[in-house]
Amino acid sequence: MLDVTDPDSIQAALARFGRLDCVVNNAGAGLFSVFESTPMATVRALFETNVFGMMQVTQAALPILGAQGGGRLIAISSGAGIVPEPLLSVYSATKFAVEGFTESLRYEAAARGVSVKLVEPGLVRGTNFLARTAESAQAVPVPAGYEPLVRQVMGAFEQEGPYRLATAQTVAEAVVAAAEDDSTQLRYLVGEDVENSVRMRRETSEKDYNDWALARVGGQ
């Protein structure tokens, strides 16, 4: 069992394999919460797993991959790291950090022959990650005045949308595709919802994106 927040655990896990061909940074935690009432200890804990843990694994793996003459580093990001969602401000912040860190790292890692990739799933229903995220929301109180927004967002989250969503299987397939891809492609989207979000974020004007983003949550 690898604990990404424990350097000794990371070193022990890497030593078990002897050789590394591909490292997948898949450890992560989620959080639904109103930021105003989210304890900073909770914020820091999420960053420890989603950002600093990922960085520690990456920093430990790079010398091994470099000494071998190359390899692959894959980070699992999220659609929330591209288009933020209500009640996911802290989680989105961690995934924006993963996005920025990984895109910058690709240039450094290339000097050692190491290829860096980002897999970006949209919503994936029916996973332990989603269940634990819902459980974590119960520990953060909802301040007065936010109840209508929380009810609206949670209700929308539970509804079936118009898009074909990612599954654990399709995410795994994207990871394999990234691991086997020798091209310079950085990002691998998984799910029609995140594909649409990326299209709106990156291929439309700021005004069109803003109108679309607000309309999704009933904004004006």
Side-chain angles (χ1 to χ4, degrees), residues 10 23 25 53-63 65 73 101 105:
I10 293 169
V23 176
N25 277 298
M54 179 269 297
M55 287 180 170
Q56 286 192 120
V57 172
T58 299
Q59 197 168 59
L62 276 170
L65 294 170
L73 276 168
F101 167 76
L105 180 70

Side-chain angles (χ1 to χ4, degrees), residues 58-145:
T58 299
Q59 197 168 59
L62 276 170
I64 301 171
L65 294 170
Q68 294 172 176
R72 193 85 78 232
L73 276 168
I74 300 174
I76 307 300
S77 182
S78 167
I82 304 166
V83 173
E85 302 283 352
L87 308 185
L88 288 174
S89 58
V90 179
Y91 178 73
S92 291
T94 67
K95 291 305 181 178
F96 268 77
V98 169
E99 291 273 331
F101 167 76
T102 305
E103 183 166 353
S104 181
L105 180 70
R106 71 185 298 201
Y107 304 111
E108 299 173 32
R112 301 293 303 276
V114 178
S115 177
V116 176
K117 307 283 188 177
L118 271 167
V119 173
E120 301 169 324
L123 178 62
V124 185
R125 295 192 186 276
T127 63
N128 290 335
F129 175 85
L130 210 55
R132 289 195 299 271
T133 299
E135 289 174 6
S136 68
Q138 305 303 314
V140 181
V142 177

Side-chain angles (χ1 to χ4, degrees), residues 159-174:
Q159 293 176 359
E160 291 295 329
Y163 302 111
R164 184 168 63 251
L165 300 178
T167 65
Q169 178 66 29
T170 57
V171 174
E173 289 169 356

Side-chain angles (χ1 to χ4, degrees), residues 139-151:
V140 181
V142 177
Y146 289 96
E147 294 93 340
L149 173 64
V150 172
R151 286 195 298 269

